[in-house]
Amino acid sequence: MNYNAIPDVFATHWNAVGEVDGWTEKTWLSVIVMPLILLGTQISLFIMGIGMKRAKIQLSAQAKEASANRELTQRKYGSWYLAAINYTMTILLVVLHYTTVILEN
C-alpha cells in the first residue's frame, strides 16, 4: 500500500554494535520477502501441530494408563510450545519488517 513511500535503498542488516552493514534496493520482492518468510513459518508450524495431533499414540503394554497420560501431556505441552514459537516469530518478523521497510524515519 505504501510502496512509493519506501526509500529506494533501506537497511536490512546490522552488526553487533548496531551499525548498518547491509543495504537492499527497493524491489517488490525485497519489500514482501519478510511477510513471505513469516507466512511460510506459520504454515510450517501449523502443519507440525496437525501432525503432532494426529500422530499415533505409543503405549507401553506394562503401564497403559501412565503411558497414555504421558503421551497426552507431551502433546498438550508440545502444541503450546509450537503456538508460543509461532506467536513469537510473528511478532519478531512483523517488528523487523515494520522497522526496516515500512517505518519512514
Side-chain angles (χ1 to χ4, degrees):
M1 289 177 22
N2 298 325
Y3 184 78
N4 294 331
I6 298 170
D8 290 334
V9 177
F10 54 91
T12 53
H13 193 269
W14 293 261
N15 62 19
V17 182
E19 300 166 342
V20 177
D21 63 357
W23 297 88
T24 300
E25 292 185 23
K26 178 177 76 170
T27 64
W28 285 101
L29 182 61
S30 65
V31 171
I32 65 168
V33 73
M34 192 72 74
L36 291 177
I37 291 170
L38 176 60
L39 180 64
T41 303
Q42 289 178 330
I43 290 171
S44 298
L45 291 172
F46 181 72
I47 290 170
M48 283 190 281
I50 290 173
M52 185 182 297
K53 181 179 177 182
R54 293 183 180 174
K56 290 184 178 181
I57 296 177
Q58 302 294 323
L59 297 178
S60 171
Q62 291 81 17
K64 288 182 182 179
E65 187 70 28
S67 179
N69 287 336
R70 184 183 69 244
E71 185 74 24
L72 292 175
T73 301
Q74 181 180 4
R75 286 183 184 198
K76 179 174 75 171
Y77 290 123
S79 64
W80 287 357
Y81 180 68
L82 281 176
I85 289 173
N86 200 0
Y87 294 139
T88 304
M89 291 293 295
T90 300
I91 291 168
L92 172 69
L93 292 176
V94 165
V95 167
L96 287 174
H97 187 66
Y98 180 74
T99 58
T100 58
V101 176
I102 298 171
L103 193 62
E104 290 183 35
N105 296 326

